[in-house]
Amino acid sequence: MNRTTSYPPNTTFDDFLYSRPNMTEVSQEFEKHLSKFENAKDAVKQQEALAGIVAVREEFGSMFNLCYVRHTSNTADPFYEAENQYFDEQSPSFEALNNRFFYALLSSPFRNVLAEKYGNHLFTLAEVSIKTFQPSILEDLKLENALSTEYTKIKARAKVDFEGKSYNLSSLLPIELSDDRTTRKNATTAKWGFYAANAEAIENIFDQMVKLRHGIAQKLGFRNFTEVGYARMHRSDYTPVMVANFRRQVREHIVPIASRLYERQRKRLGINAMKHYDEDYKFASGNPKPIGSPEQIVANAAKMYHELSPDTDAFFTRMQSAKLMDLVNRDGKATGGYCTYISKYDAPYIFSNFNGTSGDIDVLTHEAGHAFQVWSSRDFLFEEYHWPTADAAEIHSMSMEFFTWPWMQLFFGPQTDKYHFMHLAGAIQFLPYGVAVDEFQHIVYEKPDMTPAERNTVWRELEKIYLPHRDYDGIEHLDRGRFWHKQSHIFNSPFYYIDYALAQICAFQFWVKDRSDHDSAWADYLRLCRAGGSLSFLNLVKLANLKSPFDDGCVKSVVGEIQDYLNSVDDSKF
């Protein structure tokens, strides 16, 4: 049984109708189909009831995501701010309905028949999901949502005054990458001045979050929030112990490589000592910048995806024709980039903040990887299969960044080799930071009664282990261990960060395979995308003919060819 859609073929995002779900009506409709499911006399009748449940879930989820996109596109819009608040309050009640459905699914007398039709992983996901909810935490979840929104709004509404002009956090970034070192330092200092001014508020939000989440865990019967966090991320085939072993591999094998890359960068820049504000400025001649306007970038992306494969051509044509991208930075827009999916309209949606840096191309190809994956698996009946768990989902996005390398000439022209070097070296340099964010969260939720100052100390000590090169040049806010305040995942998606590091190791494998046999590598990637979330992380890794990042020796073996490539490049010519 697959999904069916009935929207007009020429419907665009502007035409997508938003209607606030009435929770009383939603609950009644959900309960009606759930009762039919529970009382069905055979598997066929249960499948008919499932179609009704899926329809209710799809409508609610589509309105939630449509509201989220329009709210983050303009956080000052009073209508969608109110609607976002409504979902903050009502989503836990909908989660309660889903929880009841999962219990009914797991206790179905026709479970074997259903598993044969829909796959065993649906039941695994149901088993993990029911660990994260019970009615006693309903009000806690509402408060958690509200705190998350409060943090997002602080950053979205940032105003940073610099040299007589006002910037938001996204528009300031090009100034932080200025060719003039003093300008870089002063712009970075101004940005962190904003965070310093809001430090008490940010730390108060997080302190409330940690204590609230710890209380939720205890109400659910867990010792602390770590197990709840893993269950929320639907991790079913690896544990915190396995993740700790992965972090060890990064610490032993990647940190030294990253440190040597920073030393190469110091020499390229011709400076005596690397400072924090130098880290993202890779070359004395300036970082590569994309060619053309945002419209030209999208046109070149269309050419790229047309040539990459028929599947990506059809996908990107849909993204353009249905206006499913909001790419350019503006005031009041939420920071960062994301991809979401409005299933009612078969519509992936890409959100970013173009600001004239190479990151514009990174985020476009990255989020297009997510969008292409969910487009490829859109026909699955259950939303659980539209997306895989985040660890696997990031394989699609990070690997797409590498599969599109042959077309970077369209975006960077004569600076393409410089971009390739920066992109690959940057992926290596990211890994220590990625695992530091993960270890920080494990420590924080292991000791929920720490003070904000103690959490900052933990972060600073982790930086010394994973980022030993880092020198904040006297910026007190950062020397006190508050860099983590900028990392939205820590606040809004707890334990969602190691996923990037795990996926990066998998994406590196695709980079290696693509250089030797593109057709084989692309076939593996396409198979991975089409599988969606129908398998667990490690089974998806196996399906794509990749090595598990958790295997001892995997990290070391994967980075060998990357080191050879980076060492073969005469980066002094850049």
Side-chain angles (χ1 to χ4, degrees):
M1 185 191 300
N2 288 336
R3 295 174 56 254
T4 57
T5 54
S6 57
Y7 59 86
N10 295 323
T11 304
T12 72
F13 181 77
D14 296 337
D15 303 318
F16 292 179
L17 296 177
Y18 172 78
S19 176
R20 175 189 284 193
N22 181 305
M23 278 308 299
T24 300
E25 295 175 0
V26 169
S27 296
Q28 290 173 346
E29 189 70 8
F30 198 106
E31 294 282 3
K32 179 182 75 174
H33 295 296
L34 184 59
S35 177
K36 290 180 179 178
F37 179 85
E38 291 173 326
N39 295 308
K41 301 302 183 184
D42 55 52
V44 173
K45 291 296 184 183
Q46 281 206 325
Q47 290 172 47
E48 292 173 359
L50 282 175
I53 293 171
V54 166
V56 177
R57 297 174 86 205
E58 179 172 80
E59 179 67 21
F60 185 89
S62 294
M63 293 305 103
F64 173 90
N65 285 322
L66 188 54
C67 172
Y68 180 75
V69 170
R70 290 178 175 163
H71 172 62
T72 52
S73 294
N74 179 10
T75 61
D77 183 320
F79 176 80
Y80 281 107
E81 181 174 17
E83 295 307 292
N84 185 73
Q85 183 177 350
Y86 176 78
F87 278 108
D88 281 349
E89 295 169 352
Q90 298 300 329
S91 293
S93 297
F94 193 73
E95 186 176 344
L97 292 173
N98 277 317
N99 197 60
R100 287 198 51 222
F101 164 61
F102 290 140
Y103 272 109
L105 185 68
L106 292 170
S107 60
S108 168
F110 314 108
R111 175 170 171 169
N112 289 341
V113 178
L114 298 178
E116 179 72 22
K117 185 173 184 62
Y118 303 118
N120 283 314
H121 193 53
L122 178 65
F123 294 87
T124 300
L125 292 172
E127 289 169 351
V128 172
S129 294
I130 62 175
K131 296 178 180 179
T132 67
F133 182 84
Q134 61 184 33
S136 65
I137 67 169
L138 195 65
E139 294 304 314
D140 296 328
L141 295 176
K142 293 179 182 179
L143 178 56
E144 185 182 13
N145 288 341
L147 290 168
S148 178
T149 295
E150 187 177 346
Y151 169 79
T152 298
K153 287 197 294 189
I154 287 175
K155 292 176 63 176
R157 297 175 182 179
K159 299 291 183 184
V160 181
D161 294 325
F162 182 71
E163 295 185 347
K165 295 183 179 180
S166 180
Y167 297 87
N168 59 39
L169 294 175
S170 298
S171 63
L172 186 65
L173 182 58
I175 315 300
E176 294 183 83
L177 295 175
S178 169
D179 294 335
D180 180 71
R181 196 180 190 204
T182 300
T183 301
R184 292 201 301 273
K185 177 179 179 179
N186 292 341
T188 298
T189 301
K191 178 184 75 176
W192 287 107
F194 159 78
Y195 279 102
N198 288 275
E200 185 175 349
I202 290 172
E203 289 179 347
N204 181 54
I205 288 171
F206 191 64
D207 191 60
Q208 291 182 71
M209 282 179 163
V210 170
K211 291 178 170 57
L212 180 68
R213 288 167 177 161
H214 182 69
I216 287 172
Q218 293 192 313
K219 289 179 182 178
L220 292 172
F222 297 104
R223 186 175 63 87
N224 60 40
F225 182 73
T226 301
E227 290 177 275
V228 180
Y230 272 57
R232 284 185 180 182
M233 297 301 296
H234 296 123
R235 294 171 183 164
S236 61
D237 54 3
Y238 61 91
T239 65
V241 172
M242 295 167 70
V243 171
N245 185 54
F246 173 73
R247 294 197 304 262
R248 176 193 59 77
Q249 292 188 67
V250 172
R251 188 166 61 247
E252 292 178 359
H253 301 296
I254 303 296
V255 170
I257 299 172
S259 296
R260 289 194 292 271
L261 286 169
Y262 282 117
E263 176 59 15
R264 286 176 69 175
Q265 182 178 344
R266 183 194 67 77
K267 292 178 179 178
R268 288 198 305 271
L269 297 179
I271 56 180
N272 292 326
M274 282 281 292
K275 304 298 183 181
H276 167 58
Y277 47 80
D278 298 316
E279 289 182 18
D280 292 331
Y281 186 75
K282 300 299 184 180
F283 308 99
S285 58
N287 287 5
K289 295 179 181 178
I291 300 166
S293 66
E295 292 77 17
Q296 290 170 316
I297 288 173
V298 172
N300 283 329
K303 174 178 172 62
M304 173 178 72
Y305 284 122
H306 172 73
E307 295 176 0
L308 176 56
S309 80
D311 297 283
T312 53
D313 182 30
F315 147 73
F316 204 75
T317 297
R318 163 73 171 155
M319 298 297 289
Q320 285 184 286
S321 64
K323 301 180 182 180
L324 298 176
M325 294 178 281
D326 178 7
L327 304 177
V328 180
N329 171 58
R330 59 182 175 271
D331 287 343
K333 188 177 180 181
T335 58
Y338 64 77
C339 173
T340 191
Y341 182 58
I342 305 165
S343 59
K344 181 177 180 178
Y345 297 101
D346 281 351
Y349 194 91
I350 295 175
F351 175 101
S352 72
N353 279 276
F354 277 11
N355 53 24
T357 68
S358 63
D360 296 351
I361 310 304
D362 294 336
V363 74
L364 179 59
T365 55
H366 182 99
E367 300 305 341
H370 285 308
F372 177 65
Q373 175 271 301
V374 75
W375 167 260
S376 300
S377 56
R378 66 191 183 280
D379 289 335
F380 281 114
L381 179 66
F382 292 99
E383 63 179 31
E384 283 78 10
Y385 285 2
H386 292 161
W387 299 103
T389 48
D391 35 29
E394 297 302 340
I395 300 175
H396 310 111
S397 55
M398 290 177 157
S399 299
M400 181 64 84
E401 295 179 40
F402 290 132
F403 276 115
T404 54
W405 261 33
W407 289 270
M408 287 301 105
Q409 183 79 21
L410 294 171
F411 305 103
F412 295 102
Q415 299 189 89
T416 299
D417 289 344
K418 181 194 281 192
Y419 171 77
H420 283 161
F421 179 87
M422 183 179 76
H423 183 215
L424 193 58
I428 288 285
Q429 290 169 318
F430 161 76
L431 285 168
Y433 175 74
V435 299
V437 170
D438 181 69
E439 188 164 337
F440 175 71
Q441 294 182 89
H442 278 84
I443 294 170
V444 163
Y445 289 108
E446 184 70 27
K447 299 177 180 179
D449 292 326
M450 282 194 295
T451 65
E454 288 171 332
R455 294 187 192 111
N456 295 336
T457 298
V458 167
W459 175 259
R460 195 69 184 99
E461 291 304 312
L462 288 171
E463 284 184 321
K464 292 174 183 177
I465 294 170
Y466 290 104
L467 307 165
H469 67 281
R470 182 158 282 184
D471 181 346
Y472 288 123
D473 198 23
I475 299 178
E476 182 182 2
H477 182 74
L478 299 177
D479 279 331
R480 292 173 64 182
R482 285 169 157 169
F483 183 91
W484 63 273
H485 287 191
K486 72 182 282 290
Q487 195 59 60
S488 299
H489 302 72
I490 293 174
F491 295 81
N492 299 342
S493 305
F495 290 102
Y496 186 166
Y497 214 69
I498 196 65
D499 311 80
Y500 293 109
L502 295 169
Q504 189 69 77
I505 297 300
C506 295
F508 283 157
Q509 295 178 61
F510 271 126
W511 178 82
V512 171
K513 292 165 68 172
D514 191 46
R515 283 162 59 82
S516 61
D517 186 346
H518 169 75
D519 289 342
S520 175
W522 183 254
D524 286 341
Y525 179 77
L526 194 57
R527 185 167 58 255
L528 179 68
C529 288
R530 288 173 174 167
S534 61
L535 297 170
S536 67
F537 172 68
L538 290 179
N539 282 324
L540 285 170
V541 167
K542 184 177 180 181
L543 181 73
N545 294 317
L546 302 172
K547 297 177 184 176
S548 166
F550 297 115
D551 289 349
D552 285 334
C554 175
V555 172
K556 183 178 180 180
S557 69
V558 165
V559 298
E561 188 164 337
I562 293 170
Q563 277 188 280
D564 291 342
Y565 175 90
L566 294 173
N567 290 337
S568 73
V569 175
D570 180 7
D571 52 315
S572 64
K573 70 180 181 180
F574 298 141

